[in-house]
Amino acid sequence: MFNTKKMFTIVMSILMVMSLFTGCGSKETVSNGDSQNTDGKVNEQQGDSKKQVKLSIWWASQDEFKQPLLDAIAEYEAEHPNVKIEPEWLANFDYYDNYKVALAGKTAPDIVKIDHVFVQTLGYNDQILELSEFGANDIKDKFVESAWKANMYQDNVYALPFDANTLALMYNEDLLAKAGKEVPTTYEELKDVALAINDLGEEGVYGYTVPVNPKGSGFLSFQFSSWVARNGGSILNDDWSASTLDSKEAVNALQQVDDLLSCGAIPPNVYLENEFYEGKIGLLEMGCWNINRLNADKTASLNVAPLVSLKDGVTGYAPLGLYSLAITKATKHQQEAYDFCKFLATNKDLQLSYAKQTHLMPSLKDSLEDEMFNTPEWKVFVEQFKNTVSRPGSPAWPSIDKHLSNAIQKVLTGVAEPEEALKEAKELCDEEIKNIK
């Protein structure tokens, strides 16, 4: 017998199932509000049809560093509405240890701006992306050559250069005039000028100062690397397989610094950088980040010149400081992260804005041609930038830096002689290098 009630129930069930398929098959909402048909084609609405992507980036928190990035983010997000950039502000630039902790805890940002000396270590440990596969080599000619090479390890590029810095010789015109001396251009002249200023007999006045610090100083090894280069030497050999700290060039460099201390040209166990700006120090090797302080205090007439030559026939190399943009390998958005890094690194206006607020130098060649760098003071630093030496990009660098700094401190505090201290440092550095597999 035909059951009408049962038949009605079956028909209604079929209709409900069909309605569900119709609802699922028409359109699929994509995270940015675009719609997708059942054939997989995207119905483009306004803007990009890609899914929404969030990228985190670590950056220093000081106001002068923040604003250029915020402006760049606003510009980039306007052009790429599917990308959201979330900056994380850190207290200063030296957050390598924080980054290692974040990597271990799988909380690292997608992008990090970091000191170039750590790039090779991170690349060696397979913690950041190798960028040539994203087309990085297509833009390398836009950058100052030394800045580009500083981010390479075994012919691979692991970061894009951003802001650079280097040292030049700052000097006090008034003290040099009182001592009857010209700006030094050689080591012998440097020593002579420093002693002549000391001989003025003015309280608290010294001819020269170096970043000696019994507690250790990364700035000391940074500066000393150029002293070795200006003697014709290096910290490591050409393929970074061994330390060359026991070479005659390295030993002579440290002997020169020690001689300045022994003869009284520099004060012992103290670094008097601030006293230079107050008119108490005659000579100081200092970075472009303090170029604004040359004219900030009118109590002294301060100026800047190229670094002195330490050996006949050897270029007056300055140390290269560089912060670069690296991408955490674990990021879920590799291409998007690279695209944003490329935008930051090759954005002339951004690099100039950053330079004007921080007194650091762009790594882009075009940006260095801006009128900002046409002043007599900036011309010295830009010219010095062309002759720089970077700290060796070995994965063992963090340990090498520690051993080198300790050796220098031992000499400058009278604990060891240069040859002895550097021989010990070489042996320790070689052990660190052997652990690199």
Side-chain angles (χ1 to χ4, degrees), residues 71-108:
D71 292 342
I73 288 174
E75 179 183 347
Y76 192 81
E77 290 181 345
E79 297 175 358
H80 304 81
N82 63 296
V83 179
K84 177 68 175 176
I85 310 296
E86 298 180 338
E88 298 179 31
W89 309 111
L90 282 83
N92 56 58
F93 282 125
D94 298 322
Y95 41 67
Y96 175 62
D97 288 339
N98 304 65
Y99 187 55
K100 288 193 296 182
V101 172
L103 287 168
K106 298 183 179 180
T107 58

Side-chain angles (χ1 to χ4, degrees), residues 233-251:
S234 61
I235 305 298
L236 301 182
N237 61 5
D238 290 343
D239 63 1
W240 301 341
S241 62
S243 166
T244 53
L245 287 175
D246 61 342
S247 68
K248 63 179 181 180
E249 293 84 4
V251 172

Side-chain angles (χ1 to χ4, degrees), residues 329-348:
K329 189 163 187 179
T331 179
K332 297 179 181 178
H333 308 291
Q334 295 185 359
Q335 185 63 57
E336 291 86 352
Y338 175 76
D339 290 343
F340 183 59
C341 285
K342 179 182 175 182
F343 170 78
L344 293 179
T346 59
N347 188 319
K348 179 180 178 180

Side-chain angles (χ1 to χ4, degrees), residues 187 191 208 210 224 227 250-266 407-419:
Y187 173 77
K191 186 175 180 179
Y208 187 49
V210 297
F224 183 69
W227 278 65
V251 172
N252 190 60
L254 189 49
Q255 187 65 60
Q256 287 174 325
V257 180
D258 190 37
D259 287 347
L260 291 172
L261 177 64
S262 300
C263 74
I266 58 177
I408 300 170
Q409 297 294 351
K410 286 180 180 179
V411 172
L412 297 186
T413 53
V415 175
E417 293 297 318
E419 187 171 359

